Amino acid sequence: MSNQNDKIVFSGAQPTGSLTLGNYIGAVKNWKTLEKEYNCLYCIVDSHSLTVRHDPKEFNKTSLSFLVQYLASGLDPDKNIIYFQSHVPQHAELSWVLGCNTYIGELNRMTQFKDKSEKHKDNINSGLLTYPVLMAADILLYKANLVPVGEDQKQHLELTRDIANRFNNLYGETFPIPEPHMPKVGARIMSLQEPTKKMSKSDENVNGTIFLMDSEDVIMKKMKRAVTDSENNVVYRDEQPGVKNLITIHSRLAGISIDEVVAQYEGKGYGALKKDTAEVVIESLRPFKDRYNEYMNNLDYVENIYKKGAKRAYELAEDTMTLVRKRIGLIQK
Ligand code: AMP
Ligand code: TRP
């Protein structure tokens, strides 16, 4: 934590599935910009994932692979604190305190709770309901100012702000009120099969999603099959969402403007755009794959990174908890 700007950025990601091109362009590239300016913590929120049934062996493997995917996509462990949530017990401790200051009615209103209860009818556990309290604890534990989140997490962040305000009013100024930090417009990568829908790691149609771990052949195939339209004219407009998505991907990864991409394909068919965009994706992900394999062959080094991350996070978390315990009147340890 050594940046000039002393604002704190905190974001969390659940270790489920595999990272997609959407995560890469929409989140990781954005995080890499933030790491230059702010003190950032990026947390693999493994405790959050326990709210749905899981296979312990598989979960253990996925959690590690997930962390390595973030490292391989370029998150710098020297500039950011990268760690597993379960390694810092203060997350659970603060979550209890905040839970005692959150109303059941507030939690019942969360759309993610409603959606997940609908999807996992046989396992509507209390963790699913209190999930947003743990998320509030993640953020407030580090007195975060900015929270990069997608649209779907805005409601949880609103609740975090309400909880922080309530706590401050009851017990005295303790937490800054965090602000959402949304990726720029155009950073929403769409499904290759249904370009009006967000590219998602849990999409049933895997052809719509490019995973960072996909082989070059698979990437080429998925891109060639990308749904476009019958205009056969490379134009960047909402009426041609498939083409617009390919242009966005091309522009973001090749580092050239939308206009330049459009000019390059003027008078050419969609075939050329798809093939070249596939090549741009393959080229951009090549260092990812090399780094992923390097890290996986060097797990001692990876362990070192997440242990060091947890140690730094623990110290910051303990500072906040010392204040919180004092504020609510617990006897100091
Ligand atoms: P998720 O995959 O939903 O856990 O999201 C992790 C992060 O990646 C969040 O910051 C999302 O906003 C971002 N993200 C996920 N999918 C996309 C997408 N298709 N386009 C842009 N950003 C995305
Ligand atoms: N709930 C977030 C999601 O599903 C993950 C998350 C947990 C998070 N804690 C967080 C995101 C704190 C931002 C800040 O995507």
mmCIF file of all heavy atoms in Angstrom, residues 263-284:
data_model
loop_
_atom_site.group_PDB
_atom_site.id
_atom_site.type_symbol
_atom_site.label_atom_id
_atom_site.label_comp_id
_atom_site.label_asym_id
_atom_site.label_seq_id
_atom_site.Cartn_x
_atom_site.Cartn_y
_atom_site.Cartn_z
ATOM 1 N N ALA A 263 -12.815 1.405 -40.180
ATOM 2 C CA ALA A 263 -12.156 1.808 -41.428
ATOM 3 C C ALA A 263 -11.402 0.632 -42.053
ATOM 4 O O ALA A 263 -11.423 0.435 -43.267
ATOM 5 C CB ALA A 263 -11.209 2.982 -41.155
ATOM 6 N N GLN A 264 -10.774 -0.173 -41.197
ATOM 7 C CA GLN A 264 -9.994 -1.316 -41.695
ATOM 8 C C GLN A 264 -10.855 -2.319 -42.457
ATOM 9 O O GLN A 264 -10.389 -2.993 -43.349
ATOM 10 C CB GLN A 264 -9.388 -2.043 -40.496
ATOM 11 C CG GLN A 264 -7.888 -1.923 -40.376
ATOM 12 C CD GLN A 264 -7.404 -2.654 -39.125
ATOM 13 O OE1 GLN A 264 -7.764 -3.790 -38.864
ATOM 14 N NE2 GLN A 264 -6.601 -1.975 -38.338
ATOM 15 N N TYR A 265 -12.141 -2.436 -42.059
ATOM 16 C CA TYR A 265 -12.996 -3.473 -42.651
ATOM 17 C C TYR A 265 -14.040 -2.925 -43.614
ATOM 18 O O TYR A 265 -14.949 -3.641 -44.019
ATOM 19 C CB TYR A 265 -13.636 -4.332 -41.545
ATOM 20 C CG TYR A 265 -12.557 -5.120 -40.855
ATOM 21 C CD1 TYR A 265 -11.948 -4.622 -39.717
ATOM 22 C CD2 TYR A 265 -12.075 -6.299 -41.419
ATOM 23 C CE1 TYR A 265 -10.899 -5.299 -39.125
ATOM 24 C CE2 TYR A 265 -11.031 -6.980 -40.840
ATOM 25 C CZ TYR A 265 -10.438 -6.479 -39.695
ATOM 26 O OH TYR A 265 -9.401 -7.148 -39.142
ATOM 27 N N GLU A 266 -13.891 -1.679 -43.958
ATOM 28 C CA GLU A 266 -14.842 -1.082 -44.887
ATOM 29 C C GLU A 266 -14.810 -1.863 -46.199
ATOM 30 O O GLU A 266 -13.729 -2.129 -46.746
ATOM 31 C CB GLU A 266 -14.457 0.386 -45.124
ATOM 32 C CG GLU A 266 -15.651 1.215 -45.510
ATOM 33 C CD GLU A 266 -15.239 2.596 -45.989
ATOM 34 O OE1 GLU A 266 -14.263 3.157 -45.455
ATOM 35 O OE2 GLU A 266 -15.912 3.072 -46.934
ATOM 36 N N GLY A 267 -15.982 -2.284 -46.638
ATOM 37 C CA GLY A 267 -16.065 -3.004 -47.908
ATOM 38 C C GLY A 267 -15.653 -4.462 -47.810
ATOM 39 O O GLY A 267 -15.736 -5.204 -48.788
ATOM 40 N N LYS A 268 -15.191 -4.901 -46.654
ATOM 41 C CA LYS A 268 -14.844 -6.323 -46.501
ATOM 42 C C LYS A 268 -16.006 -7.039 -45.817
ATOM 43 O O LYS A 268 -16.811 -6.413 -45.133
ATOM 44 C CB LYS A 268 -13.591 -6.471 -45.644
ATOM 45 C CG LYS A 268 -12.346 -5.917 -46.304
ATOM 46 C CD LYS A 268 -11.123 -6.272 -45.481
ATOM 47 C CE LYS A 268 -9.896 -5.545 -46.028
ATOM 48 N NZ LYS A 268 -8.818 -5.494 -45.059
ATOM 49 N N GLY A 269 -16.062 -8.348 -45.940
ATOM 50 C CA GLY A 269 -17.175 -9.107 -45.343
ATOM 51 C C GLY A 269 -16.924 -9.399 -43.870
ATOM 52 O O GLY A 269 -15.874 -9.066 -43.320
ATOM 53 N N TYR A 270 -17.926 -10.030 -43.237
ATOM 54 C CA TYR A 270 -17.798 -10.383 -41.825
ATOM 55 C C TYR A 270 -16.731 -11.459 -41.594
ATOM 56 O O TYR A 270 -16.155 -11.554 -40.520
ATOM 57 C CB TYR A 270 -19.132 -10.891 -41.267
ATOM 58 C CG TYR A 270 -20.219 -9.831 -41.203
ATOM 59 C CD1 TYR A 270 -21.562 -10.190 -41.157
ATOM 60 C CD2 TYR A 270 -19.886 -8.481 -41.162
ATOM 61 C CE1 TYR A 270 -22.560 -9.238 -41.079
ATOM 62 C CE2 TYR A 270 -20.879 -7.514 -41.094
ATOM 63 C CZ TYR A 270 -22.215 -7.902 -41.046
ATOM 64 O OH TYR A 270 -23.202 -6.951 -40.976
ATOM 65 N N GLY A 271 -16.512 -12.288 -42.643
ATOM 66 C CA GLY A 271 -15.523 -13.375 -42.519
ATOM 67 C C GLY A 271 -14.167 -12.835 -42.089
ATOM 68 O O GLY A 271 -13.549 -13.352 -41.158
ATOM 69 N N ALA A 272 -13.742 -11.769 -42.760
ATOM 70 C CA ALA A 272 -12.421 -11.185 -42.457
ATOM 71 C C ALA A 272 -12.405 -10.616 -41.041
ATOM 72 O O ALA A 272 -11.451 -10.813 -40.287
ATOM 73 C CB ALA A 272 -12.097 -10.087 -43.471
ATOM 74 N N LEU A 273 -13.485 -9.932 -40.666
ATOM 75 C CA LEU A 273 -13.553 -9.339 -39.322
ATOM 76 C C LEU A 273 -13.467 -10.431 -38.250
ATOM 77 O O LEU A 273 -12.731 -10.318 -37.269
ATOM 78 C CB LEU A 273 -14.857 -8.547 -39.163
ATOM 79 C CG LEU A 273 -15.117 -7.980 -37.765
ATOM 80 C CD1 LEU A 273 -14.110 -6.883 -37.407
ATOM 81 C CD2 LEU A 273 -16.548 -7.423 -37.641
ATOM 82 N N LYS A 274 -14.213 -11.525 -38.471
ATOM 83 C CA LYS A 274 -14.226 -12.601 -37.471
ATOM 84 C C LYS A 274 -12.853 -13.256 -37.355
ATOM 85 O O LYS A 274 -12.352 -13.483 -36.257
ATOM 86 C CB LYS A 274 -15.248 -13.680 -37.871
ATOM 87 C CG LYS A 274 -16.684 -13.256 -37.708
ATOM 88 C CD LYS A 274 -17.574 -14.434 -38.041
ATOM 89 C CE LYS A 274 -19.028 -14.027 -38.067
ATOM 90 N NZ LYS A 274 -19.900 -15.153 -38.440
ATOM 91 N N LYS A 275 -12.253 -13.559 -38.528
ATOM 92 C CA LYS A 275 -10.972 -14.264 -38.505
ATOM 93 C C LYS A 275 -9.896 -13.381 -37.870
ATOM 94 O O LYS A 275 -9.146 -13.834 -36.999
ATOM 95 C CB LYS A 275 -10.592 -14.651 -39.938
ATOM 96 C CG LYS A 275 -9.348 -15.477 -40.022
ATOM 97 C CD LYS A 275 -9.211 -16.180 -41.368
ATOM 98 C CE LYS A 275 -7.809 -16.747 -41.518
ATOM 99 N NZ LYS A 275 -6.781 -15.696 -41.700
ATOM 100 N N ASP A 276 -9.851 -12.131 -38.272
ATOM 101 C CA ASP A 276 -8.814 -11.236 -37.723
ATOM 102 C C ASP A 276 -9.037 -10.989 -36.232
ATOM 103 O O ASP A 276 -8.086 -10.909 -35.460
ATOM 104 C CB ASP A 276 -8.799 -9.888 -38.453
ATOM 105 C CG ASP A 276 -8.348 -10.056 -39.904
ATOM 106 O OD1 ASP A 276 -7.974 -11.182 -40.269
ATOM 107 O OD2 ASP A 276 -8.381 -9.061 -40.658
ATOM 108 N N THR A 277 -10.297 -10.844 -35.831
ATOM 109 C CA THR A 277 -10.576 -10.607 -34.403
ATOM 110 C C THR A 277 -10.153 -11.842 -33.607
ATOM 111 O O THR A 277 -9.565 -11.722 -32.525
ATOM 112 C CB THR A 277 -12.069 -10.261 -34.183
ATOM 113 O OG1 THR A 277 -12.385 -9.149 -35.011
ATOM 114 C CG2 THR A 277 -12.344 -9.902 -32.732
ATOM 115 N N ALA A 278 -10.427 -13.030 -34.176
ATOM 116 C CA ALA A 278 -9.988 -14.261 -33.497
ATOM 117 C C ALA A 278 -8.478 -14.226 -33.305
ATOM 118 O O ALA A 278 -7.960 -14.559 -32.238
ATOM 119 C CB ALA A 278 -10.385 -15.489 -34.320
ATOM 120 N N GLU A 279 -7.772 -13.783 -34.341
ATOM 121 C CA GLU A 279 -6.304 -13.740 -34.228
ATOM 122 C C GLU A 279 -5.842 -12.738 -33.168
ATOM 123 O O GLU A 279 -4.895 -12.992 -32.431
ATOM 124 C CB GLU A 279 -5.669 -13.463 -35.588
ATOM 125 C CG GLU A 279 -5.429 -14.789 -36.300
ATOM 126 C CD GLU A 279 -5.257 -14.686 -37.799
ATOM 127 O OE1 GLU A 279 -4.995 -13.568 -38.301
ATOM 128 O OE2 GLU A 279 -5.393 -15.752 -38.461
ATOM 129 N N VAL A 280 -6.550 -11.605 -33.107
ATOM 130 C CA VAL A 280 -6.217 -10.601 -32.089
ATOM 131 C C VAL A 280 -6.431 -11.196 -30.687
ATOM 132 O O VAL A 280 -5.612 -11.022 -29.783
ATOM 133 C CB VAL A 280 -7.079 -9.321 -32.279
ATOM 134 C CG1 VAL A 280 -6.920 -8.386 -31.095
ATOM 135 C CG2 VAL A 280 -6.701 -8.606 -33.560
ATOM 136 N N VAL A 281 -7.542 -11.933 -30.538
ATOM 137 C CA VAL A 281 -7.829 -12.552 -29.231
ATOM 138 C C VAL A 281 -6.731 -13.578 -28.901
ATOM 139 O O VAL A 281 -6.167 -13.568 -27.799
ATOM 140 C CB VAL A 281 -9.220 -13.249 -29.232
ATOM 141 C CG1 VAL A 281 -9.445 -14.024 -27.931
ATOM 142 C CG2 VAL A 281 -10.339 -12.227 -29.429
ATOM 143 N N ILE A 282 -6.429 -14.424 -29.868
ATOM 144 C CA ILE A 282 -5.413 -15.474 -29.642
ATOM 145 C C ILE A 282 -4.072 -14.845 -29.258
ATOM 146 O O ILE A 282 -3.422 -15.253 -28.293
ATOM 147 C CB ILE A 282 -5.290 -16.374 -30.905
ATOM 148 C CG1 ILE A 282 -6.549 -17.234 -31.034
ATOM 149 C CG2 ILE A 282 -4.031 -17.244 -30.857
ATOM 150 C CD1 ILE A 282 -6.709 -17.950 -32.367
ATOM 151 N N GLU A 283 -3.686 -13.818 -30.021
ATOM 152 C CA GLU A 283 -2.417 -13.113 -29.743
ATOM 153 C C GLU A 283 -2.410 -12.518 -28.343
ATOM 154 O O GLU A 283 -1.444 -12.641 -27.601
ATOM 155 C CB GLU A 283 -2.246 -11.955 -30.742
ATOM 156 C CG GLU A 283 -1.225 -12.115 -31.843
ATOM 157 C CD GLU A 283 -0.163 -13.161 -31.620
ATOM 158 O OE1 GLU A 283 0.744 -12.902 -30.804
ATOM 159 O OE2 GLU A 283 -0.227 -14.232 -32.258
ATOM 160 N N SER A 284 -3.531 -11.872 -27.980
ATOM 161 C CA SER A 284 -3.583 -11.210 -26.666
ATOM 162 C C SER A 284 -3.553 -12.215 -25.529
ATOM 163 O O SER A 284 -3.074 -11.900 -24.448
ATOM 164 C CB SER A 284 -4.852 -10.395 -26.482
ATOM 165 O OG SER A 284 -5.143 -9.666 -27.585
#
